[in-house]
Amino acid sequence: GENVEQHPSTLSVQEGDSAVIKCTYSDSASNYFPWYKQELGKGPQLIIDIRSNVGEKKDQRIAVTLNKTAKHFSLHITETQPEDSAVYFCAASMAGANSKLTFGKGITLSVRP
Amino acid sequence: KAGVTQTPRYLIKTRGQQVTLSCSPISGHRSVSWYQQTPGQGLQFLFEYFSETQRNKGNFPGRFSGRQFSNSRSEMNVSTLELGDSALYLCASSLSVLATNEKLFFGSGTQLSVL
């Protein structure tokens, strides 16, 4: 089955700096890659997603890039703010009868004021 | 539009008991998936329901079961609770089946503690 890995497990940046979170996946058939943000006491919130037919997608301060050849995708947050502090999960899935989202273990992002 | 609603928010049970968790999906969403979240294992897929039928199941023992009603609301049941079942149980809904890579929207979860 699919295996999604995130490294490192924690990331600390200064407010205003950029943060990049990377994930790798194992199954070349995966074609959907969402990113979720989870704040304390809440469920994961979908912040951006990308499908395998595009290489990059942007939404204001957030962007996701996908490298299908290397089987990795990254979340880019520019001009970080304290409210960006949270746990970020990447996930992967493939269309098909047994489709399910496989998540990475998550990375804790801390934005220092 | 209201989001995914899970009840109860917190549960404390003892070993050997059973528990039922409830999930109301976003209006119009027909697929409901359940995930278990623990610090060590992250988010693990339990099962997906669509049109009252289980579509897919993760690698969990038969003590974990679920069902979906005609209004798309779903319940999850865990029987003969074990200490290791302590976790945050998350419900997520999507417009259609996961097989089409629909966007998944999560509720806030039910925090289950087994003593």
Side-chain angles (χ1 to χ4, degrees), chain A residues 31-32 36 38 41-44 46 49 51 57 89 93-101 103 105, chain B residues 9 35 37 40-43 45 48 55-56 88 90 98-108:
Chain A
N31 55 8
Y32 176 61
Y36 286 83
Q38 187 174 27
K42 298 183 179 180
L46 178 67
D49 58 3
R51 299 182 189 271
K57 183 177 179 181
F89 293 94
S93 70
M94 68 187 85
N98 294 319
S99 178
K100 62 180 182 184
L101 269 180
F103 286 83
K105 292 289 176 66
Chain B
R9 187 72 180 88
Y35 282 81
Q37 185 177 21
Q41 297 299 315
L43 285 100
F45 174 75
E48 179 200 6
R55 297 272 304 183
N56 195 4
L88 180 67
L90 293 161
L98 294 180
T100 56
N101 278 339
E102 290 283 348
K103 295 178 188 290
L104 206 58
F105 298 90
F106 284 87
S108 294

Side-chain angles (χ1 to χ4, degrees), chain A:
Chain A
E2 175 66 275
N3 182 45
V4 178
E5 294 192 352
Q6 286 183 254
H7 297 284
S9 59
T10 61
L11 178 63
S12 180
V13 298
Q14 192 70 38
E15 182 178 358
D17 288 349
S18 295
V20 181
I21 303 171
K22 298 180 181 179
C23 283
T24 60
Y25 61 100
S26 62
D27 195 329
S28 56
S30 289
N31 55 8
Y32 176 61
F33 307 92
W35 284 89
Y36 286 83
K37 173 185 180 182
Q38 187 174 27
E39 297 173 325
L40 203 59
K42 298 183 179 180
Q45 175 191 5
L46 178 67
I47 55 173
I48 196 167
D49 58 3
I50 191 168
R51 299 182 189 271
S52 60
N53 57 344
V54 299
E56 183 176 2
K57 183 177 179 181
K58 289 183 180 179
D59 183 4
Q60 299 182 342
R61 296 187 297 110
I62 293 174
V64 57
T65 57
L66 171 65
N67 184 325
K68 288 186 292 183
T69 303
K71 289 191 283 188
H72 68 71
F73 55 113
S74 300
L75 177 71
H76 306 253
I77 306 174
T78 59
E79 300 172 12
T80 53
Q81 302 166 6
E83 51 265 39
D84 294 328
S85 296
V87 179
Y88 290 82
F89 293 94
C90 60
S93 70
M94 68 187 85
N98 294 319
S99 178
K100 62 180 182 184
L101 269 180
T102 300
F103 286 83
K105 292 289 176 66
I107 176 172
T108 301
L109 174 65
S110 300
V111 180
R112 306 186 302 273

Side-chain angles (χ1 to χ4, degrees), chain B residues 4 16 19 21 23 39 43 49 57-59 63 69 74-75 79-80 84 92-93 96 99 102 106-107:
Chain B
V4 178
V19 66
L21 313 181
C23 172
L43 285 100
Y49 285 88
K57 190 177 190 306
N59 297 322
R63 300 185 296 106
F69 303 95
S74 177
E75 287 182 347
S79 62
T80 320
S93 75
S96 185
E102 290 283 348
F106 284 87

